[in-house]
Amino acid sequence: MTTTDRPPLPPPRPRKSGAPSPLQGLRVIDFSHFIAGPMCTLFLADMGADVIKIENAANGDDFRRFQPHLGGEGVPFLWVNRNKKGIALDLTNEAAQKIATELVASADILVENFSRGVMERFGLGYDAMEKLNPRLIYCSVSAYGRDGAMADRLGFDPVIQAETGFMSMNGFPDQPGVRTGPAIMDISTGMTATIAVLGALAARQSTGCGQRVETALFDTAALMLGFHAMNYLATGRNPTRAGNRSADSTPTGTFNTADGPLYITCANDRTFRRLVTDVLARPDLAEDPRFLSNRDRMAHRDELTVIIEEILSGDSSERWVVKMQAAGVPAGVVRTIEGAFSSFEMTERELASSIRHPTAGEIPNIGSPLRFSETPVLDPVAAPTLGQHTTEVLERVLGYGPERIAELTAAGAFGSSG
């Protein structure tokens, strides 16, 4: 299905009229690019912070050039830069550096994910900015941290997945480990960066001072190993891939029905009894010595799978999942992304909508997962075009007039084209 034959998306549900937002009144200067840093500032922007995204005047965030494109803009860029104001500066230019410094002086939060030393070369390093603005929360996102022997090493999401053992956990036992499709380490590092910033904001309420906070992809990946990392440290046993099955419980995994696979999770004996008694109409299986406990079922997993799939072959996945959900058995149809965005669940949660964009017309939008009863997230506004809000931000935030902006343009602060 393409955008031409996909049903039109509805507008987003509007927020409560007149309601404040969680981070209203806070200003963020965003020097980040690609995914991890912009994911952090996306959360801050959705929660109402005034996020000013500073991009390279020559060509902007490289993510703009990722395919596919809508209205000349990379769709991946549109995905992660909602609700931000965009300005374009040539940070190699002294006049542009002065603008950036003045913006930071007015801010509560700075987020950057350059390589080590880049912000210092622009005169925007933490030591200088902390003296300029002692209340500033300076968030650095990197691959391996800003200090130590690996501080200068470049790192990308799948490389981090490989190095931390995360990749070794994904896939089937008889095949090599695989990376996740989505950039899970970038996304989760952006989330941990948001948590760090919010923690620093809370600390500032009592101390009156800002601080530097850091998150690294490698550190976040260690967290994302979940309890498997703890299991290894506690036992010395290296976890292995289980494919779509669980290494800890059964029946858990994908099971074929009459028209496609269904994912079922039975993490304890109670759920197994509900499955075989209330859904499969085979209460005898709950008393079968091979399947009495999870330990027994793990020892006879293949036999149990054959029995379950034989029963499931008699009906469709959608009908089985309705029965399982009614019986309190966690289960879901295994879908494509197209199937997921056409599903009842996606419609019920109102996650996909359509919003206006200055060059692309209507573009898709994926709603924020954050829900607040009294301080809802902002209504979604499309990611800015390159430099879209430069004049507006300089006038509103720094009080520049037309003459000052003309002078800066002539000085090359906004790049060679102004």
Side-chain angles (χ1 to χ4, degrees), residues 156-172 175-181 184-185 221 224-225 239-242:
F156 291 87
D157 186 295
V159 174
I160 300 294
Q161 290 191 39
E163 290 181 325
T164 57
F166 188 89
M167 192 179 292
S168 76
M169 297 293 300
N170 302 316
F172 292 89
Q175 299 173 11
V178 297
R179 59 164 292 182
T180 61
I184 191 169
M185 296 313 166
M224 295 296 287
L225 290 170
T240 56
R241 292 179 293 286

Side-chain angles (χ1 to χ4, degrees), residues 17-277:
S17 178
S21 58
L23 300 182
Q24 184 173 302
L26 295 176
R27 180 170 295 140
V28 180
I29 309 301
D30 180 9
F31 292 94
S32 66
H33 52 285
F34 278 115
I35 301 177
M39 180 61 63
C40 169
T41 54
L42 174 65
F43 278 105
L44 301 177
D46 281 349
M47 289 189 283
D50 177 20
V51 175
I52 299 171
K53 182 179 178 71
I54 297 179
E55 295 181 72
N56 176 357
N59 46 29
D61 187 333
D62 285 337
F63 221 26
R64 288 184 180 275
R65 285 172 289 286
F66 275 51
Q67 297 289 336
H69 279 193
L70 287 176
E73 298 286 356
V75 170
F77 177 87
L78 298 175
W79 160 67
V80 78
N81 286 289
R82 176 181 61 230
N83 284 339
K84 303 173 187 180
K85 300 290 187 182
I87 76 172
L89 297 175
D90 177 3
L91 288 176
T92 65
N93 178 283
E94 186 175 341
Q97 292 172 10
K98 187 174 186 301
I99 294 171
T101 299
E102 291 186 40
L103 288 171
V104 173
S106 76
D108 298 279
I109 302 157
L110 180 155
V111 178
E112 62 89 14
N113 64 342
F114 285 116
S115 298
R116 186 170 70 160
V118 172
M119 290 293 280
E120 285 74 14
R121 289 201 300 273
F122 294 151
L124 299 165
Y126 173 68
D127 291 340
M129 295 302 96
E130 189 272 336
K131 291 176 183 175
L132 175 74
N133 182 355
R135 288 177 55 81
L136 180 70
I137 293 158
Y138 192 111
C139 178
S140 294
V141 179
S142 64
Y144 301 96
R146 286 286 183 249
D147 300 307
M150 298 185 295
D152 293 322
R153 187 193 294 182
L154 296 177
F156 291 87
D157 186 295
V159 174
I160 300 294
Q161 290 191 39
E163 290 181 325
T164 57
F166 188 89
M167 192 179 292
S168 76
M169 297 293 300
N170 302 316
F172 292 89
D174 59 344
Q175 299 173 11
V178 297
R179 59 164 292 182
T180 61
I184 191 169
M185 296 313 166
D186 281 327
I187 295 169
S188 56
T189 300
M191 292 178 176
T192 57
T194 305
I195 295 169
V197 166
L198 296 179
L201 282 171
R204 194 177 73 174
Q205 290 182 332
S206 58
T207 67
C209 298
Q211 59 182 299
R212 185 172 193 171
V213 297
E214 291 189 49
T215 58
L217 269 71
F218 194 92
D219 301 359
T220 301
L223 170 71
M224 295 296 287
L225 290 170
F227 62 80
H228 300 289
M230 282 291 287
N231 287 353
Y232 163 71
L233 293 173
T235 68
R237 292 194 294 272
N238 197 31
T240 56
R241 292 179 293 286
N244 286 325
R245 292 176 166 182
S246 166
D248 311 292
S249 62
T250 200
T252 293
T254 53
F255 294 84
N256 291 316
T257 69
D259 65 349
L262 185 70
Y263 200 94
I264 304 171
T265 297
C266 288
N268 54 51
D269 296 340
R270 297 185 304 277
T271 306
F272 175 70
R273 284 183 172 274
R274 290 196 295 268
L275 171 67
V276 297
T277 301

